[in-house]
Amino acid sequence: MKKSFTLIELIVVIAIIAILAAIIAPNAFRAIEKAKITKTIADLKAIKTAIGAMYADTGKFPSGCIAFTVNDPEVNLDTAQAGLVSEPPVGIFTGATGGTCEWTQANVNSWDGPYLESGQVKDVWHSAYHYDPDYYYCINGYLSPAGDGPITNCGDAPVAQTCLEVCGGAFNCGFPVIQSFGPDKSGYGCDDIIVKMTLN
C-alpha cells in the first residue's frame, strides 16, 4: 500500500514555505534595489571619466560649458548638445534658467568622441542621466551627499546644521554633478543619486 501525504501534512509544508518566502522576499527586494543604486553610481563614475576625456579634447563640459562655472544650462546627457554620445552642434545653448554655453567650431573640431555609447547615458529606470553645473547641496529641507551616492537625511532635523557646516556657513552651496533622478524619475528628491564632478 502506497503511503501518501495527509491534508494536514500538506498544509504544514505550504505554511513553512510561505513563512520562508515572507522572510526571504523583503531581503531579496532590498538586495535588488541596492544593486540598482550600486550600478547607477558606477555608471555615473564612468560618465565622469568620459566628461574628463571630452574636456581634455575640447576644453568644454557638457553643453559647451566652461568647466566649473555656475548658472550654466543643465542638460540631459543623451542629447547631442551634451557632446558625449555624438558630435555636438556648433552654437550657443541657453538653458531654462537663462545660462548660456557655446560649442565653437574649434571645440567641435577637437571633439574625438563618442566618449560614451548611447546605452550608457540612461539609468536603470530608463531616464537620461543629467548634468547640473550648480547642484545645490542643501535644498528643500534635504541633504545631498558630500561625495557620491543617494541623497541622505531626508526630513531629518539636523540637516540645517549639517548644511551650514558643509557649505561654510551658507545654507546653500552649488557644485557640478552628474545625477540620476532615481526610481521616481523626478529631479531633486530624496531618491536622487549624484556623483560630484571633478577632473581627478
Side-chain angles (χ1 to χ4, degrees):
M1 179 163 113
K2 263 186 172 179
K3 186 170 178 174
S4 59
F5 292 107
T6 66
L7 182 58
I8 292 176
E9 288 172 329
L10 286 173
I11 290 172
V12 168
V13 169
I14 290 169
I16 290 170
I17 291 170
I19 290 168
L20 290 173
I23 292 169
I24 294 169
N27 291 332
F29 288 123
R30 275 194 292 276
I32 289 168
E33 286 308 306
K34 189 174 180 181
K36 286 180 179 180
I37 291 170
T38 300
K39 181 189 182 323
T40 300
I41 292 169
D43 287 352
L44 291 170
K45 287 181 178 180
I47 292 169
K48 175 181 169 180
T49 301
I51 291 173
M54 183 176 71
Y55 174 77
D57 290 343
T58 67
K60 294 289 183 80
F61 268 18
S63 297
C65 295
I66 297 169
F68 305 110
T69 53
V70 297
N71 296 323
D72 291 337
E74 298 175 16
V75 66
N76 286 339
L77 298 179
D78 62 344
T79 64
Q81 187 63 42
L84 292 169
V85 176
S86 61
E87 184 177 286
V90 173
I92 294 174
F93 177 64
T94 303
T97 57
T100 59
C101 292
E102 180 179 12
W103 286 109
T104 65
Q105 187 62 56
N107 299 145
V108 174
N109 291 344
S110 299
W111 189 85
D112 194 26
Y115 301 95
L116 292 170
E117 299 296 321
S118 60
Q120 292 178 281
V121 288
K122 292 205 179 220
D123 63 21
V124 294
W125 299 281
H126 309 292
S127 294
Y129 286 116
H130 190 75
Y131 172 74
D132 185 341
D134 56 357
Y135 181 90
Y136 283 97
Y137 188 87
C138 302
I139 192 168
N140 297 331
Y142 64 80
L143 173 68
S144 59
D148 306 329
I151 297 211
T152 57
N153 298 328
C154 280
D156 286 358
V159 167
Q161 182 59 39
T162 305
C163 288
L164 289 171
E165 291 168 7
V166 170
C167 294
F171 188 71
N172 288 328
C173 55
F175 51 78
V177 299
I178 309 123
Q179 72 187 118
S180 163
F181 292 143
D184 73 358
K185 302 181 182 188
S186 177
Y188 308 99
C190 287
D191 66 341
D192 288 7
I193 301 166
I194 69 167
V195 166
K196 191 173 180 179
M197 188 63 215
T198 61
L199 288 176
N200 53 19

